Amino acid sequence: MRSILLLFILFYIPFSSTIAQTGLTAGPPRVYFVTDPGQQQMQFIDVTNPSKDYALELGVSFEDWSYSIVGDNVLSAKGSLTNSCSSWLSVSDPYFSLAPGESKRIQVTLNVPKDMSTQNETPVHTSMLFVTQLNPRARSDRDGATIRLAVRSGIKIYHRLNGREQQDIDITNISYLTVDSMGDFLAADYDVHSNTWMEGKVRTELINQENGKKINIEDIGFYALPKDVRKQYIQLPNDLPSGKYVASVIFLYNDQESVKVGELEFDHVAKK
C-alpha cells in the first residue's frame, strides 16, 4: 500500500518566485495598529494564488508569537501570551477560494476592549495571522509515496496605544567566541526598553591594533519587542588575519536617529 504524507510549509514572508508557483503569496509581512481602548481599526492584506492550473481553498486563523533570545519566531496557542491581541482580531473572509492567478483583499479588523487599561504593563500586543491552504496538492516522491503539499503564510500583527514612541536599548555585554565548525563570532547581549516595537541595524567595525586596518562587517537587521532580552551573534570573516582587535558594535534604531555603541578588545588567531 502506498503511504501518504501531509506536509505543511510555513512562511512568514511572501514566497520566492519558484516556491510561489505551487504555493500562495500573502502580504504585507507586518501589519500595524495604533488605537486606544474601545476603538476599532481596519487594515488590509492581499492574498494571491500564483498557480496557473490549481485552485486554492484557504482559511485564516490566528496564533500568538514572541521572539526567542536570538530573534527567532516562537509560536504559541491563541490567547496564551500576556501580550496577545489574537482575540481582538477578526477578518472579513475566514474561508475563501482563489482560482488560478486570482487575488483577494482581506479586511482585518482589530477591536480593543474598552476595559483595557492605558497603564497596561504590556505596551505592545501581537498576533500572527495565518493564511492556510486547506486543499493540499498531491505529489509523488521518488519511491512512489504520495505527498500532499500544503502551505501557509504568516503575517505579524502589532498593536500599541496612541502616544509618543519611546525606543531604547542597553548593551549589557559583548563577548568573543568560537563555535566548532561554524567559525568565530561576537555575541552582543542587549535589553530592550521601549513602549513600541523596534526595528534597526547592527553595524560592526573591527580595527586591527597592530596596523590600524579597519574592517567593516555587513549590517544585520533586527526586530524587537518591549522587555525583550536578546543576544545578537555577529560572524567574523573567515579570512580575518591573526592579531589584536578592537570591535565596535553599533545599534542604530528609531529611524537611525538613536545609536548605542559597545566595544570589545580581543585576540584573534586565524584558522589554518
Side-chain angles (χ1 to χ4, degrees), residues 131-148:
V131 180
T132 303
Q133 181 182 355
L134 303 178
N135 59 331
R137 191 166 190 173
R139 300 264 178 121
S140 295
D141 65 11
R142 293 179 181 178
D143 299 325
T146 299
I147 300 174
R148 292 192 175 275

Side-chain angles (χ1 to χ4, degrees), residues 12-272:
Y12 296 109
I13 59 176
F15 295 114
S16 67
S17 58
T18 55
I19 297 175
Q21 298 309 308
T22 56
L24 62 91
T25 62
R30 299 170 190 86
V31 176
Y32 301 95
F33 293 90
V34 181
T35 63
D36 287 330
Q39 293 183 340
Q40 181 185 90
Q41 188 176 8
M42 292 175 292
Q43 302 284 8
F44 296 90
I45 63 169
D46 293 308
V47 184
T48 299
N49 177 6
S51 173
K52 297 179 180 179
D53 60 0
Y54 193 77
L56 291 177
E57 301 292 333
L58 301 168
V60 179
S61 61
F62 296 96
E63 294 183 26
D64 290 353
W65 70 274
S66 60
Y67 286 121
S68 73
I69 191 171
V70 294
D72 293 332
N73 299 310
V74 180
L75 294 175
S76 302
K78 177 180 177 180
S80 62
L81 299 182
T82 57
N83 69 331
S84 173
C85 65
S86 295
S87 63
W88 305 351
L89 292 160
S90 61
V91 293
S92 56
D93 298 272
Y95 300 97
F96 59 99
S97 301
L98 290 180
E102 184 181 8
S103 297
K104 186 177 183 64
R105 175 158 287 189
I106 304 296
Q107 178 180 296
V108 184
T109 303
L110 180 133
N111 285 282
V112 182
K114 293 181 180 179
D115 58 357
M116 195 201 85
S117 171
T118 57
Q119 304 301 317
N120 194 308
E121 294 183 358
T122 305
V124 171
H125 301 90
T126 63
S127 180
M128 185 80 76
L129 182 154
F130 282 112
V131 180
T132 303
Q133 181 182 355
L134 303 178
N135 59 331
R137 191 166 190 173
R139 300 264 178 121
S140 295
D141 65 11
R142 293 179 181 178
D143 299 325
T146 299
I147 300 174
R148 292 192 175 275
L149 181 66
V151 293
R152 67 172 181 167
S153 182
I155 296 173
K156 289 180 177 177
I157 306 291
Y158 297 82
H159 165 262
R160 71 171 178 87
L161 300 172
N162 281 295
R164 184 177 180 180
E165 296 182 38
Q166 298 175 344
Q167 299 188 19
D168 197 13
I169 66 169
D170 284 334
I171 302 173
T172 58
N173 188 54
I174 300 177
S175 57
Y176 168 82
L177 68 156
T178 298
V179 179
D180 291 343
S181 76
M182 295 184 63
D184 299 314
F185 293 80
L186 299 177
D189 299 318
Y190 65 100
D191 297 345
V192 179
H193 306 287
S194 70
N195 65 354
T196 186
W197 45 83
M198 294 185 65
E199 176 181 354
K201 296 180 179 180
V202 181
R203 182 165 297 165
T204 305
E205 300 173 350
L206 306 177
I207 301 292
N208 188 315
Q209 293 183 286
E210 297 167 0
N211 57 25
K213 183 178 180 180
K214 181 179 178 181
I215 300 169
N216 294 315
I217 296 177
E218 185 176 355
D219 291 354
I220 301 172
F222 76 92
Y223 295 88
L225 292 172
K227 302 182 181 180
D228 275 358
V229 176
R230 298 281 291 277
K231 183 184 292 288
Q232 179 66 60
Y233 288 102
I234 304 156
Q235 185 160 21
L236 299 178
N238 292 329
D239 59 353
L240 185 68
S242 298
K244 295 181 179 294
Y245 290 87
V246 174
S248 298
V249 180
I250 307 161
F251 283 77
L252 302 98
Y253 53 96
N254 193 22
D255 293 330
Q256 300 194 28
E257 294 182 358
S258 300
V259 176
K260 283 291 176 73
V261 181
E263 291 191 342
L264 176 71
E265 295 184 9
F266 66 94
D267 295 327
H268 174 73
V269 178
K271 302 295 185 293
K272 296 182 179 180

